[in-house]
Amino acid sequence: MQHPVDPSTYDYSDPFGSMAGRSYAHTGSDYIVAYGEVYSVADAIVYHTGWNDGNGNYICCYLPGHDWDGVEGGAYIAYLHLSSINVNEGDSVKQGQKIGVSGNTGSNSRGPHLHVTLSNSDLAYLGLGAKVDPFAYIQARLGFPVPPKPVEPPKPTPVPPTPAGPPTPVKLTPAQQRQAIAKQRQYLKDARTNLANERRLGSRKDERKMAKYREQIARAQTRIKNIRRNGY
Ligand SMILES: [Zn+2]
């Protein structure tokens, strides 16, 4: 299998299933190629050629041996918007054989390009039947399990907003420092007294209360140390 035109012209911006600018999902793959030779993607039988208002000049080919998982009944490929058709209905064509020239025919075309539809229906040229992504289908058969995507510049890592830290404490005056230290000393004294009283209860002492008093002692000691060192 091969792409019908140079695969580098594939239009990644409007893939199979895309709604871009239309009221229905894109029925196939587009290649942005202006008036370029179109080649049969595989050995095929030209099933139908013709014209309709939306799709312009089209070729619909049957691809023998191209049933695929979940889509039975053979594969049909339609090439739309052609400026010329170089095959006749009933022709057997070889993979890579020129079958037409891309163009801008039909009211669904908004600029020269090649559209291909791959379907299990012989009405593939009308976008009917169970369809698959032609570009991905061909890529898979060329040994690319995932269609290559154009290289995008790496997205910048979003920087989370810095959370507002605690406001910088205002330095206490020496008098306020003495007062604050005195208060912490009182807390310290009370916690130590409570701890000693609890310990005297012997086997009836409450370990949770004792842990709480120890925590109060440690907190008061830290406060006193900080006030002395930092002034707050
Ligand atoms: Zn298209």
Side-chain angles (χ1 to χ4, degrees):
M1 224 175 181
Q2 65 169 72
H3 287 279
V5 292
D6 178 356
S8 72
T9 63
Y10 173 65
D11 183 7
Y12 283 94
S13 71
D14 190 11
F16 176 73
S18 150
M19 300 296 289
R22 59 174 81 75
S23 56
Y24 54 90
H26 197 191
T27 56
S29 299
D30 288 349
Y31 299 85
I32 308 297
V33 52
Y35 313 109
E37 294 191 346
V38 176
Y39 308 107
S40 183
V41 297
D43 292 353
I45 295 158
V46 180
Y47 175 78
H48 184 43
T49 66
W51 160 274
N52 77 38
D53 287 344
N55 298 330
N57 294 310
Y58 62 83
I59 299 170
C60 186
C61 291
Y62 175 63
L63 306 175
H66 279 273
D67 286 317
W68 59 86
D69 290 348
V71 181
E72 294 170 359
Y76 291 83
I77 188 162
Y79 308 82
L80 310 182
H81 313 303
L82 303 173
S83 59
S84 74
I85 295 171
N86 300 113
V87 287
N88 296 303
E89 288 180 8
D91 284 356
S92 283
V93 293
K94 287 288 180 193
Q95 178 180 321
Q97 185 178 330
K98 179 188 172 185
I99 55 172
V101 176
S102 67
N104 189 26
T105 58
S107 59
N108 292 343
S109 184
R110 287 164 291 172
H113 77 286
L114 174 68
H115 169 107
V116 292
T117 297
L118 195 50
S119 166
N120 70 339
S121 167
D122 57 4
L123 298 177
Y125 61 96
L126 298 177
L128 299 175
K131 295 174 287 294
V132 294
D133 180 337
F135 183 78
Y137 183 86
I138 296 168
Q139 284 290 89
R141 271 139 199 86
L142 293 176
F144 301 108
V146 176
K149 294 223 159 59
V151 178
E152 283 177 35
K155 287 195 177 75
T157 311
V159 179
T162 312
T168 307
V170 178
K171 203 163 181 166
L172 304 174
T173 64
Q176 287 170 325
Q177 288 179 33
R178 279 193 297 275
Q179 213 176 349
I181 288 171
K183 201 167 82 179
Q184 292 301 322
R185 279 198 180 126
Q186 188 58 52
Y187 289 153
L188 193 57
K189 194 180 155 197
D190 290 348
R192 278 177 173 150
T193 304
N194 289 334
L195 181 64
N197 288 340
E198 197 67 29
R199 192 178 286 132
R200 258 183 235 117
L201 296 175
S203 59
R204 290 183 294 117
K205 66 182 187 271
D206 186 330
E207 288 295 346
R208 277 187 305 177
K209 277 186 184 171
M210 289 176 73
K212 194 179 82 181
Y213 299 144
R214 286 195 192 95
E215 200 186 297
Q216 288 172 349
I217 290 165
R219 202 186 302 140
Q221 286 171 330
T222 304
R223 285 288 294 126
I224 292 166
K225 202 160 62 180
N226 285 345
I227 293 164
R228 284 192 175 134
R229 188 198 296 154
N230 305 323
Y232 53 82

